[in-house]
Amino acid sequence: MMNSSAFAKSFVGGKLNRVFPIQNPILWIVLLMSLLLSGCVNYDLGVNFDNPNRGEFVQHIKLEEKLTSFSGDSVYEWLNSIERRARKLEGKTRRLSKQEVIVSIPFSSGRELQAKFNEFFHPNGTQKSESVGSESNSELPKIESNLLVFQNNFLLLVRNRLIYDLDLRSLALISSNGNVLANPGSILNLEFSLNTPWGARSVEKTENTILPEKNGHQLVWKLKPGELNHIETVFWLPSPLGIGTLLIILFVWAGFYLRYTFMPDPRVQFAPPAVTGGQ
């Protein structure tokens, strides 16, 4: 692979024509993007758990003005489509500006989080309904995203295992001979975070596993554009159902204890008076 610094060296050394034809218009587009569009897309995706039965996943997307001026109305349409998909999943949107939006979608269980998350990023028929016959849409990079959530109830606690696989290899800008023209990481700033009441721990399983940064009870993964990204984590949450059941049992037990310890025995208190003879 050839990173942006190596590409610059080949340009200065006068070897550009040997690597890429100078007449290739794609070359100039990539050069403009690498030089002018650095850090143009900031995409923060976070999953927040309050308890096993309540939470939300939040997306904060901010586009720099230099990208919107370069891409035109297609970028704004992309933000509008995100808002439409969020409302379809009972989510809320907050448009901070024309280039910045915050989307939050609630969930009531791990299963619902998995269903809503995957439906948001793979809506049925979205590409067909929004393409409107545009040939350029068929050339957009395809991103594979899949989230899995497993929950196991242990009476008072719920063990959660979250697995997220994100294939961003299509975002790499590749030339015809297989050399990378520009580093997509310089254009895209992508983060995934998990926030839980008691924190979480990352599970290292594969070579594509990303190590997170810990900030209190929050784990933050910096996603790598142009690569496979694998996230796997385990965390525990208190079980409201189990805790509620335990409190009911303790309340009933305390009632029996107080009744038969500090109050007279009802069998003695309400016993009929003894009948005396001799009358």
Side-chain angles (χ1 to χ4, degrees), residues 2 36 85 93 98 129 138 150 169 176 193 205 268 278:
M2 182 179 183
L36 302 178
R85 278 180 280 165
T93 62
K98 197 174 181 181
S129 61
S138 61
F150 303 94
R169 290 176 296 181
S176 59
S193 64
K205 289 287 186 179
V268 177

Side-chain angles (χ1 to χ4, degrees), residues 19-180:
V19 181
F20 306 107
I22 197 68
Q23 296 85 1
N24 190 349
I26 299 179
L27 172 62
W28 300 112
I29 296 177
V30 172
L31 281 174
L32 287 174
M33 292 180 66
S34 61
L35 296 177
L36 302 178
L37 304 182
S38 177
C40 283
V41 179
N42 298 291
Y43 200 124
D44 298 333
L45 174 59
V47 177
N48 303 322
F49 273 91
D50 297 326
N51 57 59
N53 301 320
R54 186 177 65 192
E56 63 178 2
F57 66 94
V58 181
Q59 300 173 78
H60 183 188
I61 306 167
K62 183 178 181 181
L63 309 177
E64 298 297 333
E65 292 187 4
K66 48 190 174 183
L67 174 63
T68 56
S69 61
F70 181 81
S71 301
D73 295 336
S74 59
V75 172
Y76 298 122
E77 176 56 29
W78 175 60
L79 292 179
N80 294 335
S81 69
I82 289 177
E83 292 180 307
R84 290 194 296 268
R85 278 180 280 165
R87 288 191 291 266
K88 184 179 179 182
L89 296 174
E90 301 176 345
K92 298 180 180 179
T93 62
R94 186 155 55 101
R95 199 70 175 258
L96 302 181
S97 67
K98 197 174 181 181
Q99 297 89 12
E100 186 175 5
V101 63
I102 296 178
V103 175
S104 59
I105 300 176
F107 58 86
S108 58
S109 65
R111 180 177 298 181
E112 187 178 17
L113 165 63
Q114 176 178 314
K116 285 189 172 183
F117 191 97
N118 292 328
E119 183 179 350
F120 181 88
F121 289 101
H122 296 283
N124 295 329
T126 299
Q127 292 181 348
K128 293 182 180 180
S129 61
E130 294 184 357
S131 61
V132 196
S134 175
E135 295 181 358
S136 61
N137 285 344
S138 61
E139 300 175 358
L140 292 177
K142 184 178 181 181
I143 297 176
E144 294 293 337
S145 169
N146 187 47
L147 180 78
L148 298 175
V149 181
F150 303 94
Q151 292 183 313
N152 301 103
N153 201 324
F154 291 90
L155 188 58
L156 301 180
L157 299 174
V158 178
R159 183 181 185 271
N160 300 266
R161 182 168 166 235
L162 185 147
I163 302 174
Y164 184 38
D165 287 299
L166 184 63
D167 188 353
L168 298 178
R169 290 176 296 181
S170 61
L171 296 182
L173 303 177
I174 308 297
S175 69
S176 59
N177 65 349
N179 292 323
V180 178

